[in-house]
Amino acid sequence: MNLLDIITEDYRQFPQNQTFSIYAKNVHFKDPIYNFYGIQKYQKMITFLSKWFKNLHLELHEITEIENQIDTRWTMSWNSPLPWQPFVSVSGRSELKLKNNLIIGHYDYWYISKWDLIKQHFKIGNRS
């Protein structure tokens, strides 16, 4: 399997059975909430998401590779661990920087603000 195929499969089964071997040991991860270095911290973040959020789903819309970068467009959704278990969804894109066929940088950008994400937790009639 090539890197694009591995990433596509990881999105399909997210957060289970992720292929952490495609990441450099000191990978830099950054999104609107997290900013850290290291594969162990990345693994802990994925474990945290899978333990706290129900029905976690990551839908891949597009994946392309140009030179030393893979770009993806996606939508992630889940039910939050609040008593009313609101359905929350965020769409965005990722830039995966490559070196020696390993991901050395994983940068996520959301198409909504953090505030808009928080507001989804309190919508009346939110679907699940």
Side-chain angles (χ1 to χ4, degrees), residues 18-19 40 44 52 81 93 97 108 128:
Q18 297 299 283
T19 312
Q40 290 178 337
K44 286 180 182 178
W52 282 97
R93 64 183 182 85
K97 305 290 185 181
D108 288 348
S128 57

Side-chain angles (χ1 to χ4, degrees), residues 25-117:
K25 184 177 180 179
N26 202 32
V27 63
H28 181 211
F29 179 87
K30 185 175 182 181
D31 73 6
I33 296 175
Y34 297 101
N35 184 10
F36 57 79
Y37 287 88
I39 188 61
Q40 290 178 337
K41 288 183 181 179
Y42 183 71
Q43 289 170 312
K44 286 180 182 178
M45 179 192 66
I46 301 298
T47 299
F48 169 81
L49 292 173
S50 65
K51 284 184 179 180
W52 282 97
F53 301 104
K54 295 183 187 250
N55 305 314
L56 189 56
H57 179 71
L58 184 57
E59 181 180 355
L60 179 63
H61 304 298
E62 181 179 6
I63 185 168
T64 56
E65 181 175 10
I66 300 172
E67 295 180 14
N68 292 320
Q69 180 169 307
I70 294 173
D71 295 317
T72 64
R73 284 186 325 97
W74 46 263
T75 299
M76 189 163 75
S77 59
W78 62 91
N79 290 96
S80 286
L82 297 169
W84 57 95
Q85 296 187 358
F87 177 80
V88 176
S89 177
V90 60
S91 291
R93 64 183 182 85
S94 298
E95 294 175 358
L96 308 174
K97 305 290 185 181
L98 306 175
K99 184 176 181 181
N100 299 325
N101 212 36
L102 290 175
I103 299 167
I104 61 169
H106 182 145
Y107 307 105
D108 288 348
Y109 304 92
W110 298 353
Y111 298 145
I112 64 172
S113 70
K114 286 189 268 185
W115 176 243
D116 286 336
L117 180 72

